[in-house]
Every structure is written in structure tokens, then in C-alpha cells.
Coordinates of all heavy atoms in Angstrom, one line a residue:
M968 N 33.1 62.8 137.7 CA 34.4 62.3 137.9 C 35.4 63.4 137.7 O 35.3 64.1 136.7 CB 34.7 61.1 137.0 CG 36.1 60.6 137.0 SD 36.6 59.4 135.8 CE 35.1 58.7 135.3
H969 N 36.4 63.5 138.6 CA 37.4 64.5 138.5 C 38.8 63.8 138.5 O 39.0 63.0 139.4 CB 37.3 65.6 139.6 CG 38.5 66.5 139.6 ND1 38.6 67.5 138.6 CD2 39.5 66.7 140.4 CE1 39.7 68.2 138.8 NE2 40.3 67.7 139.9
C970 N 39.6 64.1 137.5 CA 40.9 63.6 137.5 C 42.0 64.7 137.6 O 41.8 65.7 137.0 CB 41.2 62.8 136.1 SG 40.0 61.5 135.9
S971 N 43.0 64.4 138.4 CA 43.9 65.5 138.7 C 45.0 65.5 137.6 O 45.7 66.5 137.5 CB 44.6 65.3 140.1 OG 45.2 64.0 140.1
R972 N 45.1 64.4 136.8 CA 46.1 64.4 135.8 C 45.4 64.2 134.4 O 44.2 64.1 134.4 CB 47.1 63.2 136.0 CG 47.9 63.3 137.2 CD 48.8 62.1 137.3 NE 49.4 62.1 138.7 CZ 50.1 61.1 139.1 NH1 50.2 60.0 138.4 NH2 50.6 61.1 140.3
L973 N 46.2 64.1 133.4 CA 45.6 63.9 132.1 C 44.7 62.7 132.0 O 45.1 61.6 132.4 CB 46.8 63.7 131.0 CG 46.4 63.6 129.6 CD1 45.7 64.9 129.1 CD2 47.6 63.4 128.7
T974 N 43.5 62.9 131.5 CA 42.5 61.8 131.3 C 42.6 61.2 130.0 O 42.8 61.9 129.0 CB 41.1 62.4 131.6 OG1 41.1 63.0 132.9 CG2 40.1 61.3 131.4
T975 N 42.5 59.9 129.9 CA 42.5 59.2 128.6 C 41.2 58.6 128.4 O 40.6 58.0 129.4 CB 43.6 58.1 128.6 OG1 44.9 58.6 128.9 CG2 43.6 57.3 127.3
W976 N 40.7 58.6 127.2 CA 39.4 58.0 126.9 C 39.5 57.2 125.6 O 40.3 57.5 124.7 CB 38.2 58.9 126.9 CG 38.3 60.0 125.9 CD1 38.9 61.2 126.0 CD2 37.8 60.0 124.5 NE1 38.8 61.9 124.9 CE2 38.1 61.2 123.9 CE3 37.1 59.1 123.8 CZ2 37.8 61.6 122.6 CZ3 36.7 59.4 122.5 CH2 37.1 60.6 121.9
K977 N 38.7 56.1 125.5 CA 38.7 55.3 124.4 C 37.3 55.0 124.0 O 36.5 54.7 124.8 CB 39.4 53.9 124.6 CG 40.8 54.0 125.0 CD 41.4 52.7 125.4 CE 42.8 52.9 125.9 NZ 43.5 51.6 126.3
S978 N 36.9 55.2 122.7 CA 35.6 54.9 122.2 C 35.6 53.9 121.1 O 36.6 53.9 120.4 CB 34.9 56.2 121.7 OG 34.6 57.1 122.7
S979 N 34.6 53.1 121.1 CA 34.5 52.1 120.0 C 33.0 51.9 119.7 O 32.2 52.1 120.5 CB 35.2 50.8 120.4 OG 34.5 50.2 121.5
A980 N 32.8 51.6 118.4 CA 31.4 51.3 118.0 C 31.3 49.8 117.9 O 32.2 49.1 117.3 CB 31.2 52.0 116.6
W981 N 30.2 49.3 118.4 CA 29.9 47.9 118.3 C 28.7 47.7 117.4 O 27.7 48.4 117.5 CB 29.5 47.3 119.6 CG 30.5 47.2 120.7 CD1 31.8 47.5 120.6 CD2 30.3 46.7 122.0 NE1 32.5 47.3 121.8 CE2 31.5 46.8 122.7 CE3 29.2 46.3 122.7 CZ2 31.7 46.4 124.0 CZ3 29.4 45.9 124.0 CH2 30.6 45.9 124.6
C982 N 28.8 46.7 116.5 CA 27.6 46.3 115.7 C 27.5 44.8 116.0 O 28.5 44.0 115.7 CB 27.9 46.5 114.2 SG 28.0 48.2 113.7
C983 N 26.4 44.4 116.5 CA 26.3 43.0 117.1 C 25.1 42.3 116.5 O 24.0 42.8 116.4 CB 26.1 43.1 118.6 SG 27.4 44.0 119.4
A984 N 25.3 41.0 116.1 CA 24.2 40.2 115.7 C 23.5 39.6 116.9 O 24.0 39.7 118.0 CB 24.8 39.0 114.9
P985 N 22.2 39.2 116.8 CA 21.5 38.6 117.9 C 22.3 37.5 118.6 O 23.0 36.7 118.0 CB 20.3 38.0 117.3 CG 20.1 38.8 116.0 CD 21.5 39.1 115.5
A986 N 22.3 37.6 119.9 CA 23.0 36.6 120.8 C 24.5 36.8 120.9 O 25.2 36.0 121.5 CB 22.7 35.1 120.4
S987 N 25.0 37.8 120.2 CA 26.5 38.2 120.4 C 26.7 38.5 121.8 O 25.9 39.2 122.5 CB 26.9 39.4 119.5 OG 26.7 39.1 118.2
R988 N 27.8 38.1 122.4 CA 28.1 38.3 123.8 C 29.5 38.9 124.1 O 30.4 38.6 123.3 CB 28.1 37.0 124.6 CG 26.7 36.3 124.6 CD 26.8 35.0 125.3 NE 25.5 34.3 125.3 CZ 24.6 34.5 126.2 NH1 24.8 35.3 127.2 NH2 23.5 33.8 126.1
C989 N 29.6 39.6 125.1 CA 30.8 40.0 125.7 C 30.8 39.4 127.1 O 30.0 39.8 127.9 CB 30.9 41.6 125.8 SG 32.4 42.2 126.4
P990 N 31.7 38.4 127.4 CA 31.6 37.7 128.6 C 31.9 38.5 129.8 O 32.4 39.7 129.7 CB 32.6 36.6 128.5 CG 33.6 37.1 127.4 CD 32.8 38.0 126.5
P991 N 31.6 38.0 131.0 CA 31.8 38.8 132.3 C 33.3 39.3 132.3 O 34.2 38.6 132.1 CB 31.5 37.8 133.4 CG 30.6 36.9 132.8 CD 31.0 36.7 131.3
H992 N 33.4 40.6 132.7 CA 34.7 41.2 132.8 C 34.6 42.5 133.5 O 33.5 42.9 133.9 CB 35.3 41.5 131.4 CG 34.6 42.5 130.6 ND1 33.4 42.2 130.0 CD2 34.8 43.8 130.3 CE1 32.9 43.3 129.4 NE2 33.8 44.3 129.5
H993 N 35.7 43.2 133.7 CA 35.7 44.6 134.3 C 36.8 45.4 133.6 O 37.7 44.8 133.1 CB 35.8 44.6 135.8 CG 37.1 44.1 136.3 ND1 37.4 42.8 136.4 CD2 38.2 44.8 136.7 CE1 38.7 42.7 136.9 NE2 39.1 43.9 137.1
V994 N 36.7 46.7 133.7 CA 37.7 47.5 133.1 C 38.1 48.6 134.2 O 37.3 48.9 135.1 CB 37.2 48.2 131.8 CG1 37.0 47.2 130.7 CG2 36.0 49.1 132.0
P995 N 39.3 49.1 134.1 CA 39.8 50.0 135.2 C 39.2 51.4 135.1 O 39.4 52.2 136.0 CB 41.3 50.0 135.0 CG 41.5 49.7 133.6 CD 40.4 48.7 133.2
G996 N 38.4 51.7 134.1 CA 37.9 53.0 133.9 C 36.4 53.0 134.0 O 35.7 52.0 134.0
S997 N 35.8 54.2 134.0 CA 34.4 54.5 133.9 C 33.9 54.1 132.5 O 34.5 54.5 131.6 CB 34.1 55.9 134.3 OG 32.8 56.2 134.2
V998 N 32.8 53.5 132.4 CA 32.3 53.0 131.1 C 30.9 53.6 130.8 O 30.0 53.6 131.7 CB 32.1 51.5 131.1 CG1 31.6 51.0 129.7 CG2 33.5 50.8 131.3
S999 N 30.7 54.1 129.6 CA 29.3 54.5 129.2 C 29.0 53.6 128.0 O 29.8 53.3 127.1 CB 29.2 55.9 128.8 OG 29.9 56.2 127.6
L1000 N 27.8 53.0 128.0 CA 27.3 52.2 127.0 C 26.0 52.8 126.4 O 25.0 52.9 127.1 CB 27.0 50.8 127.5 CG 26.5 49.7 126.6 CD1 27.4 49.5 125.4 CD2 26.2 48.4 127.4
H1001 N 26.1 53.3 125.2 CA 25.0 54.0 124.6 C 24.4 53.1 123.5 O 25.1 52.9 122.4 CB 25.5 55.4 124.0 CG 24.4 56.2 123.4 ND1 24.7 57.3 122.8 CD2 23.1 56.0 123.4 CE1 23.5 57.9 122.4 NE2 22.5 57.1 122.7
C1002 N 23.2 52.6 123.7 CA 22.6 51.8 122.7 C 22.1 52.7 121.5 O 21.2 53.5 121.8 CB 21.5 51.0 123.3 SG 20.6 49.9 122.1
L1003 N 22.6 52.5 120.3 CA 22.2 53.4 119.2 C 21.0 52.8 118.5 O 20.1 53.5 118.0 CB 23.3 53.5 118.2 CG 24.6 54.1 118.8 CD1 25.7 54.1 117.8 CD2 24.3 55.5 119.4
E1004 N 20.9 51.4 118.4 CA 19.8 50.8 117.8 C 19.7 49.3 118.4 O 20.7 48.8 118.8 CB 19.8 50.8 116.3 CG 21.0 50.0 115.7 CD 21.1 50.1 114.2 OE1 20.1 50.5 113.6 OE2 22.1 49.7 113.7
G1005 N 18.5 48.8 118.3 CA 18.4 47.4 118.8 C 18.2 47.4 120.4 O 17.7 48.3 120.9
R1006 N 18.7 46.3 121.0 CA 18.5 46.1 122.4 C 19.6 45.2 122.9 O 19.9 44.2 122.3 CB 17.1 45.6 122.7 CG 16.8 45.5 124.2 CD 15.4 45.1 124.5 NE 15.2 43.7 124.0 CZ 14.1 43.2 123.5 NH1 13.0 44.0 123.5 NH2 14.0 42.0 123.1
F1007 N 20.1 45.6 124.1 CA 21.1 44.8 124.8 C 20.6 44.4 126.2 O 19.8 45.1 126.7 CB 22.4 45.6 125.0 CG 23.2 45.9 123.8 CD1 23.0 47.1 123.1 CD2 24.1 45.0 123.3 CE1 23.6 47.4 121.9 CE2 24.8 45.3 122.1 CZ 24.6 46.5 121.4
E1008 N 21.1 43.3 126.7 CA 21.0 42.9 128.1 C 22.3 43.1 128.7 O 23.4 42.6 128.2 CB 20.5 41.5 128.2 CG 19.1 41.2 127.8 CD 18.7 39.8 127.9 OE1 19.6 38.9 128.1 OE2 17.5 39.5 127.9
V1009 N 22.4 43.8 129.8 CA 23.6 44.1 130.6 C 23.5 43.4 131.9 O 22.6 43.7 132.7 CB 23.9 45.6 130.7 CG1 25.2 45.8 131.4 CG2 23.9 46.2 129.3
L1010 N 24.4 42.5 132.2 CA 24.4 41.8 133.5 C 25.3 42.5 134.5 O 26.5 42.7 134.2 CB 24.9 40.3 133.3 CG 25.0 39.5 134.6 CD1 23.7 39.3 135.3 CD2 25.7 38.2 134.3
L1011 N 24.7 43.0 135.6 CA 25.5 43.7 136.6 C 25.2 42.9 137.9 O 24.1 42.9 138.4 CB 25.0 45.1 136.8 CG 25.2 46.1 135.6 CD1 24.6 47.4 135.9 CD2 26.6 46.2 135.2
G1012 N 26.3 42.2 138.4 CA 26.0 41.3 139.6 C 25.1 40.2 139.1 O 25.4 39.5 138.1
Q1013 N 24.0 40.0 139.8 CA 23.1 39.0 139.5 C 21.8 39.5 138.8 O 20.9 38.8 138.5 CB 22.6 38.2 140.8 CG 23.7 37.6 141.5 CD 24.4 36.5 140.7 OE1 23.8 35.7 140.0 NE2 25.8 36.5 140.7
T1014 N 21.9 40.8 138.4 CA 20.7 41.5 137.8 C 20.9 41.8 136.4 O 22.0 42.4 136.0 CB 20.4 42.8 138.6 OG1 20.2 42.5 140.0 CG2 19.1 43.5 138.1
V1015 N 19.9 41.5 135.5 CA 20.0 41.8 134.1 C 19.2 43.0 133.8 O 18.0 43.1 134.2 CB 19.5 40.6 133.2 CG1 19.4 41.0 131.8 CG2 20.3 39.3 133.5
H1016 N 19.8 44.0 133.2 CA 19.2 45.3 132.8 C 19.0 45.3 131.3 O 19.9 44.9 130.6 CB 20.0 46.4 133.3 CG 20.3 46.5 134.8 ND1 19.5 47.1 135.6 CD2 21.3 45.9 135.5 CE1 19.9 47.0 136.9 NE2 21.0 46.2 136.8
Q1017 N 17.8 45.8 130.9 CA 17.6 46.0 129.5 C 18.1 47.4 129.1 O 17.9 48.4 129.8 CB 16.1 45.9 129.2 CG 15.5 44.6 129.4 CD 15.9 43.5 128.4 OE1 16.1 43.8 127.3 NE2 16.1 42.3 129.0
L1018 N 18.8 47.5 127.9 CA 19.3 48.7 127.4 C 18.7 48.8 126.0 O 19.1 48.1 125.1 CB 20.8 48.8 127.4 CG 21.4 50.1 127.1 CD1 21.1 51.2 128.1 CD2 23.0 50.0 127.0
D1019 N 17.7 49.7 125.8 CA 17.1 49.9 124.5 C 17.6 51.0 123.7 O 18.4 51.9 124.2 CB 15.6 50.1 124.8 CG 14.9 49.0 125.4 OD1 15.1 47.8 125.0 OD2 14.0 49.2 126.3
S1020 N 17.3 51.1 122.4 CA 17.7 52.1 121.5 C 17.5 53.5 122.1 O 16.4 53.8 122.6 CB 17.0 52.0 120.2 OG 17.4 52.9 119.3
G1021 N 18.6 54.3 122.1 CA 18.5 55.6 122.7 C 18.9 55.7 124.1 O 19.1 56.9 124.6
Q1022 N 19.0 54.6 124.8 CA 19.3 54.7 126.3 C 20.8 54.6 126.5 O 21.6 54.0 125.7 CB 18.7 53.5 127.0 CG 17.2 53.7 127.1 CD 16.5 52.6 127.9 OE1 16.9 51.4 127.8 NE2 15.6 52.9 128.7
L1023 N 21.3 55.2 127.6 CA 22.7 55.2 128.0 C 22.8 54.6 129.4 O 22.0 54.9 130.3 CB 23.1 56.7 128.0 CG 24.5 57.0 128.4 CD1 25.5 56.6 127.3 CD2 24.7 58.5 128.7
M1024 N 23.8 53.8 129.6 CA 24.1 53.2 130.9 C 25.5 53.6 131.3 O 26.5 53.5 130.5 CB 24.0 51.7 130.8 CG 24.2 51.0 132.2 SD 24.0 49.2 132.1 CE 22.2 49.2 132.1
H1025 N 25.7 54.0 132.6 CA 27.0 54.3 133.1 C 27.4 53.2 134.1 O 26.6 52.7 134.9 CB 27.0 55.6 133.9 CG 28.3 55.9 134.6 ND1 28.4 55.6 135.9 CD2 29.5 56.3 134.1 CE1 29.7 55.9 136.3 NE2 30.3 56.3 135.2
L1026 N 28.7 52.7 134.0 CA 29.2 51.7 134.9 C 30.5 52.3 135.5 O 31.4 52.8 134.8 CB 29.6 50.4 134.2 CG 28.5 49.6 133.6 CD1 28.1 50.1 132.2 CD2 28.9 48.2 133.5
P1027 N 30.5 52.3 136.9 CA 31.7 52.8 137.5 C 33.0 51.9 137.3 O 32.8 50.8 136.8 CB 31.3 52.8 139.0 CG 30.2 51.9 139.1 CD 29.5 51.8 137.8
P1028 N 34.1 52.5 137.5 CA 35.4 51.7 137.3 C 35.3 50.3 138.1 O 34.8 50.3 139.2 CB 36.5 52.6 137.9 CG 35.9 53.9 137.7 CD 34.5 53.8 138.0
N1029 N 35.8 49.3 137.4 CA 36.0 48.0 138.0 C 34.7 47.3 138.3 O 34.6 46.3 139.1 CB 36.9 48.0 139.3 CG 38.3 48.4 138.9 OD1 38.9 47.9 138.0 ND2 38.8 49.5 139.6
M1030 N 33.6 47.7 137.8 CA 32.3 47.1 138.0 C 32.2 45.8 137.0 O 32.2 46.0 135.8 CB 31.1 48.0 137.6 CG 29.8 47.4 137.5 SD 29.0 46.9 139.1 CE 28.7 48.5 139.8
P1031 N 32.1 44.6 137.6 CA 32.0 43.4 136.8 C 30.6 43.5 136.0 O 29.6 43.9 136.5 CB 31.9 42.3 137.8 CG 32.5 42.8 139.0 CD 32.2 44.3 139.0
H1032 N 30.7 43.2 134.7 CA 29.5 43.2 133.8 C 29.7 42.3 132.6 O 30.8 41.9 132.3 CB 29.3 44.6 133.4 CG 30.4 45.2 132.6 ND1 31.5 45.8 133.2 CD2 30.5 45.4 131.2 CE1 32.3 46.2 132.2 NE2 31.7 46.0 131.0
A1033 N 28.6 42.0 132.0 CA 28.6 41.2 130.8 C 27.5 41.8 129.9 O 26.5 42.4 130.4 CB 28.3 39.7 131.0
V1034 N 27.6 41.7 128.6 CA 26.7 42.3 127.6 C 26.3 41.3 126.6 O 27.1 40.5 126.1 CB 27.3 43.5 127.0 CG1 26.3 44.2 126.0 CG2 27.8 44.5 128.0
R1035 N 25.0 41.3 126.2 CA 24.5 40.4 125.2 C 23.5 41.2 124.3 O 22.6 41.9 124.8 CB 23.8 39.2 125.8 CG 23.3 38.2 124.8 CD 22.6 37.0 125.4 NE 21.2 37.3 125.7 CZ 20.2 37.2 124.9 NH1 20.3 36.8 123.7 NH2 18.9 37.5 125.3
A1036 N 23.7 41.0 123.0 CA 22.7 41.6 122.1 C 21.5 40.8 122.0 O 21.6 39.6 121.8 CB 23.4 41.8 120.7
V1037 N 20.3 41.4 122.2 CA 19.1 40.6 122.1 C 18.6 40.5 120.6 O 18.0 39.5 120.3 CB 18.0 41.4 122.9 CG1 16.6 40.7 122.8 CG2 18.4 41.4 124.4
E1038 N 18.9 41.5 119.8 CA 18.6 41.5 118.4 C 19.7 42.2 117.7 O 20.7 42.6 118.3 CB 17.3 42.3 118.2 CG 17.3 43.7 118.8 CD 15.9 44.3 118.9 OE1 15.0 43.7 119.6 OE2 15.7 45.3 118.3
D1039 N 19.6 42.4 116.4 CA 20.6 43.2 115.7 C 20.7 44.5 116.4 O 19.7 45.3 116.5 CB 20.2 43.4 114.2 CG 20.4 42.2 113.3 OD1 21.4 41.4 113.6 OD2 19.7 42.0 112.4
S1040 N 21.9 44.9 116.8 CA 22.1 46.1 117.7 C 23.4 46.8 117.4 O 24.3 46.1 116.9 CB 22.0 45.7 119.2 OG 20.8 45.0 119.5
S1041 N 23.4 48.0 117.8 CA 24.7 48.8 117.7 C 24.8 49.7 118.9 O 23.8 50.1 119.5 CB 24.8 49.6 116.4 OG 23.8 50.6 116.4
A1042 N 26.0 49.9 119.3 CA 26.3 50.8 120.5 C 27.6 51.5 120.4 O 28.5 51.1 119.7 CB 26.3 49.9 121.8
L1043 N 27.6 52.6 121.1 CA 28.9 53.4 121.3 C 29.4 53.1 122.7 O 28.6 53.4 123.6 CB 28.7 54.9 121.0 CG 29.9 55.8 121.2 CD1 31.0 55.4 120.2 CD2 29.5 57.2 121.1
V1044 N 30.6 52.6 122.8 CA 31.1 52.3 124.1 C 32.3 53.2 124.4 O 33.2 53.3 123.5 CB 31.6 50.8 124.2 CG1 32.2 50.5 125.6 CG2 30.5 49.9 123.9
T1045 N 32.3 53.9 125.5 CA 33.4 54.8 125.9 C 33.9 54.5 127.2 O 33.1 54.3 128.2 CB 32.9 56.3 125.9 OG1 32.3 56.6 124.6 CG2 34.0 57.3 126.2
I1046 N 35.2 54.4 127.4 CA 35.9 54.1 128.6 C 36.8 55.3 128.9 O 37.6 55.7 128.1 CB 36.7 52.8 128.5 CG1 35.9 51.6 128.1 CG2 37.5 52.6 129.8 CD1 36.7 50.4 127.8
V1047 N 36.6 55.8 130.2 CA 37.4 57.0 130.6 C 38.4 56.5 131.7 O 38.0 55.9 132.7 CB 36.5 58.1 131.2 CG1 37.4 59.2 131.7 CG2 35.6 58.6 130.1
L1048 N 39.7 56.7 131.4 CA 40.7 56.2 132.4 C 41.4 57.4 133.0 O 41.8 58.3 132.3 CB 41.8 55.4 131.6 CG 41.2 54.1 130.9 CD1 42.3 53.6 130.0 CD2 40.8 53.1 131.9
C1049 N 41.4 57.4 134.3 CA 42.1 58.5 135.1 C 43.4 57.9 135.7 O 43.3 56.8 136.3 CB 41.3 59.0 136.2 SG 39.8 59.9 135.6
P1050 N 44.5 58.4 135.4 CA 45.8 57.9 136.0 C 45.7 57.9 137.5 O 45.2 58.8 138.1 CB 46.9 58.8 135.5 CG 46.2 59.8 134.7 CD 44.8 59.7 134.7
G1051 N 46.3 56.8 138.1 CA 46.3 56.7 139.5 C 47.4 57.4 140.1 O 47.6 57.9 141.1

């Protein structure tokens, strides 16, 4: 991804109990979801993807998605926003 203006990014750490959910949504920026421990299910469209400890998933801007912790899990989530 190349941005012609100043790029903004936001990172947050998630610690999730089993069955914790982030309901379907989308964000205006590019998203990386890095599973640090445990396991997540990530819904993209009608397909559920497993994200295990040590794996990283990239979602393009405005991609509808939902996330659920399968077990005690933690992740680093980073959103990169490029000004329009």
C-alpha cells in the first residue's frame, strides 16, 4: 500500500475469553490481525477462517468481517488509514 499523504495507524492489543465476539463490521483502513496466542475464527463473507497462534491475517480496507475467540486468546490488531 502506498499513501501520498501522511499515513495514520492505530494498534490495539486484544485479550479475549472463549466465545468473545466482535460483530460484523468494516473499517476504512487496511487491517492486520496477528494472533499471539490461542485461536480465532474470522468470518470473511460467508467463509470462516481459522487464525492460530503465530499467524497473521491481512484484510483490505472496507472488507466486512467478524471475529470470535475460540479459546482464551490474544491478538495485536493494527489499522492503517491513508487520507483520501
Side-chain angles (χ1 to χ4, degrees):
M968 172 188 339
H969 174 71
C970 298
S971 59
R972 297 183 190 165
L973 184 63
T974 300
T975 302
W976 60 274
K977 299 176 184 180
S978 288
S979 61
W981 290 359
C982 294
C983 304
S987 297
R988 296 179 181 270
C989 184
H992 66 285
H993 68 278
V994 295
S997 178
V998 177
S999 70
L1000 179 59
H1001 183 187
C1002 181
L1003 302 174
E1004 62 183 348
R1006 185 173 65 211
F1007 292 93
E1008 291 180 342
V1009 182
L1010 177 65
L1011 300 175
Q1013 300 299 317
T1014 305
V1015 175
H1016 301 270
Q1017 295 291 323
L1018 188 64
D1019 295 318
S1020 180
Q1022 292 183 317
L1023 176 74
M1024 180 178 283
H1025 172 261
L1026 292 85
N1029 297 308
M1030 168 74 71
H1032 61 281
V1034 181
R1035 183 180 82 86
V1037 176
E1038 56 192 59
D1039 285 328
S1040 303
S1041 64
L1043 177 63
V1044 180
T1045 302
I1046 302 170
V1047 178
L1048 301 168
C1049 294

